[in-house]
Amino acid sequence: MTSWPSGDEGGLSEQRASELLRTHGPNELPQARRRSVWRIAAEVVREPMLQLLIAAGLIYLVLGDVAEALALLAFVLLSLSISLVQETRTERVMAALRDLSSPRALVIRDGRRRRVAGREVVPGDLIVLAEGDRIPADAVLRAAHALQTDESLLTGESVPVRKQAAPGGPVADQPPGGDDLPWVFSGALVVRGQGLAEVRHTGAATQIGRIGQALSQIDATPSALQRQTRQWVRAFAVVGVALSVAVALLYAQVRGDVLGGVLAGITLAMSMLPQEFPLILTVFMAMGAWRIASQRVLVRRASAIETLGTATVLCTDKTGTLTQNRMTVAALQAGDASWTTDAAGSAPLPEAFHAVLEYAILASERDPFDPMEQAFWDLARSHLTEQDREHLHPDWTLAHAYALSPDLLAMSHVWQSPAQRSPVVAAKGSPEAVADLCHLPPERVDEIRRQTEALAAQGLRVLGVARGGLDGHQPGADWPAIQHDLDFEFLGLVGLMDPLRPAVAEAVQLCRQAGIRVAMITGDYPATALAIAAQAGIDTQGGALRGEEIAALSEAALGERVRQTQVFARVTPEQKWRIVRALQAHGEVVAMTGDGVNDAPSLKAADIGVAMGARGTDVAREAASLVLLDDDFGAIPQAVRLGRRIDDNLRKGMAFVLAVHVPIAGLSLLPLLFGLPLLFMPVHIAFLELIIDPVCSVVFEAEPEEADVMRRPPRRPGTPLLGRDLLLGSLVQGLLVMGLIGGFYVWLLSAGTADAAARTAAFVALVGSNVALIVSNRSLDNRLLASLRRPNRALWVMLGVTTALLTLVLAWPVLRALFQFQPLTGGQAAQAGAVALGALALLEALKWVRARAGTAAPA
């Protein structure tokens, strides 16, 4: 057994660490290169819309219309520039999120422990390892206590391997695999114990670097929204291509102009292609993740943003999530005698309770990480005299340890005293487990249960403490296989208090107000769990479902119980997983919080796994979809709020894109069918797309949340991207605008207006109607004035830019000729404005009708 260091002596200085970082480079594996501007440009040029513009420009060159060709080329360059700005912005956001999600390491520098990003670890660093940590670099152990690691990532062998500290002096490099080696390896997972290791190799020089494992590769499986979006784009593309070919052939046959027919076909294809759908998803997911990160919540999987709006149940741990994870000893019980910190003040601890505290400390780590074990030491420092502290036995040596297990929720330490031949054993754990170790008679067990329930009813976490011996044990002989083989004496109970976080009650109320059930799943005693749940505002009417009851229930019976229960106590990690599955089987969308290695299965099984960032283990973070960087439960409802806002705005943007393409496509096709002068040419479609792209991706993304975003039930899971009501509403919106603009255009022509003037007035009216579509789709309810008052700086900037561009096209003769426009008279301009206002009135009336029919809310 290697002794554990009592302090944090040694370690590099910050200055030396900085020098080594410059020399060896960051501790990270070779990654796929970030997309350069040229690579993004190449991807953008492959977009069908740009290719159609280029094809139209080439045809105009063949026809000898250089000005039109150059204009289309200018639109290509402008569209390319806008796409580059949006894509590079997204890249910067994603790079910042990758930095946030970088693995962490606890290092000793300048004699102090500090948390650094894994990429900042350098050779020579001393790293502190604890259960659940992902090892950041190849290192040699200098101290270890019951340390085991999972090296399956490197060896393929899933069985954990034991580790032992190296003796002083140089240690030769060794490959992973096998027990009792002094090496720990980058990428391996600490599954038990703790250690202190000196880093030898980082980055590409590690074992995992040498074999080229890509640990940070993000799963590229498309999300549900991406799949639905691709299906929509594919459907539109098929229909658009078929109609475009038909139009080109019809135009060539009727008007005898082949190249003109090709241009007409290209125009129709451009008008029908909803290229904005993928753009919306890309921008919304990247910016949504960034907005959620502003609440100190890291999104590790984009699908979590999609799921947040549908979450119906939030399963939360107690310790450190609802509570502050700052344990203090509030009460001690020894036989019939009891002691509380409130009553004692700063007075010394009475002698009757010394043994309980002494053996609680002996059953803990010398240098504890566990908040409960730290609380024992805090009590000893504050309520024991200097003379009494000598009974904490700093000279004793830890000879053996029995770990906590799912079968027995107790742990024991075997100590060897320099003055005694026989070892001394200290045990602590759940009161029933410790009572079981002591083989107590039933009446004594019942008494301990009553005392435990009395303490737990006060919201205290209760542990039992016992002492034992190993008389006659010979040095070097094998230790008993299990704790039950030892003889123990029950000493008493310790009641620990972990105060509720200040923001928890409000956060729980927000969740319940939003139609999200909040359930607490804890390993604590039922009375403690119910007391804390009541303080937090969680419904306790159904009582607490205990772990042993869960173990006896079938899956069907458990499914019925979880629908009526909000507090689960004495629950093992495997039972957490069963609870999550039972809730999902009844159609619930489950968000689950956790922080430990054993929470990983339930975090991964949940629809939204939420890991603790500050105290959570690396494996929990990797299994989770969201990471609370500050361990703040109050951030969860804020993430749900943002998730619902993103979901709402995504649907608004999609509805706008669908609605705005209906009049553009219809007005491109109808003049051909009825023998009218063409209303649109490629240059007009390019201008309209120039407006639509930033509107759908930037303006709607920046739209504030709806007033009722946290006062309505979650969206039904499995709802399509464009539900029937939303799809029908968008199509009707588009048809209304198309009918208005088409009627206005025909009326102008029938009144003897010149073709160019009619085209100009109809185009201005269409741009105004598109603005009406934006304004109408900003809000899901019928309050137009309230919608106009909602702040959205991006909207007003976009409207200003659109107005300026349209004014430039109408006022500059060169552009006016390029668009085949004609200056409008005052009456024609007023007529176009009246049509746009009429479109807004009709759209608002339609929204009112839909609201009365109960279809205004998102499906």
Side-chain angles (χ1 to χ4, degrees):
M1 175 64 60
T2 304
S3 63
W4 187 252
S6 58
D8 286 344
E9 297 82 4
L12 299 174
S13 66
E14 288 292 347
Q15 180 180 354
R16 179 58 178 156
S18 298
E19 293 172 357
L20 289 169
L21 186 61
R22 287 192 296 270
T23 301
H24 295 273
N27 175 38
E28 55 189 11
L29 299 178
Q31 298 179 2
R33 289 183 304 167
R34 288 182 57 185
R35 294 193 303 167
S36 65
V37 173
W38 296 110
R39 182 179 172 188
I40 294 173
E43 293 174 357
V44 172
V45 169
R46 288 198 292 268
E47 288 294 325
M49 182 63 70
L50 284 184
Q51 292 177 356
L52 289 171
L53 277 174
I54 294 170
L58 292 176
I59 292 174
Y60 276 116
L61 279 177
V62 172
L63 294 173
D65 194 340
V66 178
E68 190 85 20
L70 290 177
L72 290 179
L73 179 60
F75 275 114
V76 169
L77 293 176
L78 194 54
S79 297
L80 182 62
S81 300
I82 292 173
S83 297
L84 283 175
V85 169
Q86 290 178 328
E87 290 284 351
T88 51
R89 182 187 185 194
T90 300
E91 278 291 304
R92 286 196 299 270
V93 168
M94 296 311 294
L97 292 175
R98 280 193 292 268
D99 289 343
L100 279 175
S101 61
S102 171
R104 308 157 302 152
L106 184 62
V107 300
I108 297 175
R109 291 184 183 169
D110 292 321
R112 293 177 301 166
R113 296 185 183 189
R114 62 178 297 249
R115 214 39 101 167
V116 300
R119 67 190 307 273
E120 297 177 12
V121 172
V122 296
D125 257 329
L126 287 180
I127 52 175
V128 180
L129 304 175
E131 182 177 327
D133 286 349
R134 184 72 71 180
I135 298 168
D138 289 3
V140 174
L141 282 168
R142 294 306 182 193
H145 171 56
L147 186 67
Q148 294 185 16
T149 65
D150 178 357
E151 297 176 353
S152 57
L153 191 67
L154 295 161
T155 64
E157 177 55 59
S158 60
V159 177
V161 292
R162 296 188 308 272
K163 297 294 179 179
Q164 66 177 11
V171 179
D173 285 3
Q174 291 173 303
D179 287 322
D180 300 324
L181 296 179
W183 280 90
V184 291
F185 300 96
S186 176
L189 180 69
V190 179
V191 296
R192 182 172 297 176
Q194 52 187 323
L196 184 69
E198 179 184 348
V199 174
R200 291 292 182 83
H201 305 298
T202 60
T206 61
Q207 290 286 335
I208 197 170
R210 293 174 192 170
I211 60 177
Q213 296 281 359
L215 293 180
S216 58
Q217 183 177 359
I218 299 173
D219 187 3
T221 303
S223 67
L225 279 183
Q226 288 173 324
R227 290 193 297 271
Q228 290 182 44
T229 301
R230 290 175 185 176
Q231 290 170 0
W232 275 101
V233 173
R234 193 178 299 117
F236 274 94
V238 169
V239 174
V241 169
L243 283 176
S244 300
V245 171
V247 163
L249 294 174
L250 177 65
Y251 190 101
Q253 182 178 0
V254 173
R255 305 196 182 188
D257 184 356
V258 175
L259 287 179
V262 173
L263 279 174
I266 288 176
T267 302
L268 182 60
M270 290 171 63
S271 69
M272 293 195 66
L273 187 65
Q275 64 164 13
E276 298 86 3
F277 280 1
L279 176 68
I280 289 175
L281 269 188
T282 302
V283 173
F284 270 61
M285 291 304 130
M287 293 306 299
W290 183 249
R291 290 187 189 278
I292 292 175
S294 70
Q295 300 294 323
R296 303 292 294 161
V297 179
L298 173 65
V299 179
R300 298 193 70 253
R301 292 179 179 84
S303 58
I305 300 176
E306 303 174 22
T307 314
L308 274 171
T310 64
T312 59
V313 178
L314 171 59
C315 297
T316 177
D317 188 19
K318 177 180 74 68
T319 304
T321 305
L322 297 180
T323 60
Q324 298 179 25
N325 199 29
R326 182 177 54 81
M327 303 295 291
T328 58
V329 175
L332 296 174
Q333 185 82 35
D336 295 330
S338 60
W339 175 90
T340 62
T341 51
D342 289 340
S346 59
L349 184 68
E351 180 69 30
F353 303 96
H354 281 195
V356 178
L357 179 58
E358 174 186 356
Y359 279 85
I361 289 176
L362 287 174
S364 306
E365 301 293 342
R366 285 292 194 196
D367 186 14
F369 294 96
D370 189 312
M372 290 187 296
E373 297 183 350
Q374 291 174 350
F376 302 149
W377 284 98
D378 290 341
L379 179 64
R381 296 185 189 101
S382 60
H383 285 80
L384 288 183
T385 64
E386 288 292 336
Q387 182 177 358
D388 288 335
R389 289 181 204 170
E390 295 179 1
H391 297 292
L392 299 181
H393 314 296
D395 58 336
W396 284 16
T397 302
L398 182 62
H400 191 65
Y402 294 94
L404 195 77
S405 70
D407 299 327
L408 183 66
L409 298 177
M411 59 181 294
S412 298
H413 281 174
V414 181
W415 296 91
Q416 187 65 59
S417 164
Q420 291 179 299
R421 181 174 179 82
S422 297
V424 175
V425 187
K428 69 172 173 38
S430 69
E432 56 264 40
V434 175
D436 183 36
L437 285 177
C438 296
H439 308 291
L440 298 175
E443 57 273 14
R444 177 63 174 134
V445 172
D446 289 341
E447 181 185 356
I448 291 171
R449 181 177 294 114
R450 287 192 296 272
Q451 293 173 340
T452 299
E453 289 173 350
L455 291 171
Q458 304 171 37
L460 303 182
R461 181 165 187 176
V462 187
L463 296 179
V465 180
R467 66 181 167 197
L470 280 168
D471 293 338
H473 184 271
Q474 298 299 317
D478 291 338
W479 300 103
I482 57 175
Q483 300 175 69
H484 263 297
D485 293 343
L486 305 174
D487 292 324
F488 285 101
E489 172 194 358
F490 193 87
L491 295 176
L493 301 171
V494 181
L496 298 114
M497 178 178 64
D498 185 4
L500 201 69
R501 289 182 181 270
V504 163
E506 181 183 357
V508 170
Q509 178 59 30
L510 275 174
C511 288
R512 297 181 65 176
Q513 183 177 289
I516 302 173
R517 281 176 54 198
V518 181
M520 184 172 76
I521 305 177
T522 179
D524 237 341
Y525 199 76
T528 307
L530 289 169
I532 295 296
Q535 294 176 32
I538 297 172
D539 184 8
T540 59
Q541 291 185 358
L545 183 61
R546 298 169 59 100
E548 54 264 35
E549 296 177 84
I550 294 173
L553 292 174
S554 66
E555 296 302 323
L558 178 61
E560 289 300 318
R561 292 295 300 273
V562 297
R563 298 174 67 182
Q564 306 161 6
T565 306
Q566 271 62 253
V567 180
F568 302 85
R570 278 293 187 253
V571 173
T572 65
E574 292 77 15
Q575 291 167 344
K576 283 187 182 182
W577 181 86
R578 285 190 66 199
I579 292 169
V580 169
R581 287 301 192 196
L583 288 166
Q584 290 173 326
H586 281 81
E588 305 283 7
V589 179
V590 182
M592 175 80 194
T593 69
D595 62 352
V597 176
N598 292 331
D599 290 326
S602 54
L603 288 174
K604 197 163 188 178
D607 299 281
I608 309 169
V610 183
M612 303 296 107
R615 68 184 175 88
T617 59
D618 286 341
V619 70
R621 285 161 53 101
E622 290 172 12
S625 309
L626 302 177
V627 178
L628 305 185
L629 297 177
D630 294 331
D631 292 2
D632 182 9
F633 182 83
I636 295 178
Q638 296 308 318
V640 171
R641 180 191 297 273
L642 283 169
R644 291 188 176 187
R645 168 188 164 177
I646 293 164
D647 187 75
D648 284 348
N649 290 345
L650 184 62
R651 290 167 180 272
K652 293 175 189 176
M654 294 293 189
F656 167 76
V657 168
L658 184 60
V660 82
H661 273 277
V662 171
I664 295 174
L667 295 172
S668 298
L669 178 62
L670 291 180
L672 290 169
L673 297 179
F674 293 100
L676 299 173
L678 293 183
L679 178 56
F680 293 141
M681 288 166 286
V683 67
H684 300 121
I685 304 297
F687 181 90
L688 292 171
E689 290 291 341
L690 196 66
I691 298 171
I692 295 170
D693 278 2
V695 165
C696 68
S697 61
V698 177
V699 172
F700 280 107
E701 193 282 326
E703 193 61 29
E705 66 191 39
E706 295 289 328
D708 66 341
V709 69
M710 292 297 281
R711 295 198 303 272
R712 62 175 187 243
R715 176 170 58 85
R716 292 193 302 273
T719 304
L721 176 63
L722 293 175
R724 183 189 61 184
D725 295 330
L726 191 62
L727 176 61
L728 181 61
S730 297
L731 290 174
V732 173
Q733 281 184 332
L735 289 171
L736 279 176
V737 172
M738 185 183 76
L740 272 178
I741 305 301
F744 180 50
Y745 183 54
V746 171
W747 177 78
L748 287 171
L749 291 174
S750 64
T753 307
D755 292 354
R759 179 182 298 113
T760 307
F763 188 83
V764 172
L766 178 60
V767 172
S769 298
N770 285 349
V771 172
L773 278 171
I774 297 169
V775 173
S776 184
N777 280 283
R778 285 187 67 200
S779 175
L780 297 173
D781 56 32
N782 195 44
R783 296 173 296 174
L784 175 61
L785 294 179
S787 175
L788 290 174
R789 287 196 296 266
R790 290 167 61 182
N792 188 335
R793 183 170 175 268
L795 169 66
W796 300 112
V797 169
M798 188 59 222
L799 292 181
V801 171
T802 300
T803 303
L805 287 175
L806 185 59
T807 302
L808 184 63
V809 168
L810 295 175
W812 191 13
V814 174
L815 286 178
R816 194 167 61 235
L818 185 65
F819 278 72
Q820 298 185 26
F821 284 167
Q822 184 174 307
L824 294 179
T825 65
Q828 290 169 340
Q831 290 166 356
V835 170
L837 289 175
L840 179 59
L842 283 175
L843 291 171
E844 287 301 305
L846 173 64
K847 193 160 59 174
W848 181 83
V849 171
R850 293 174 63 200
R852 290 292 297 259
T855 59

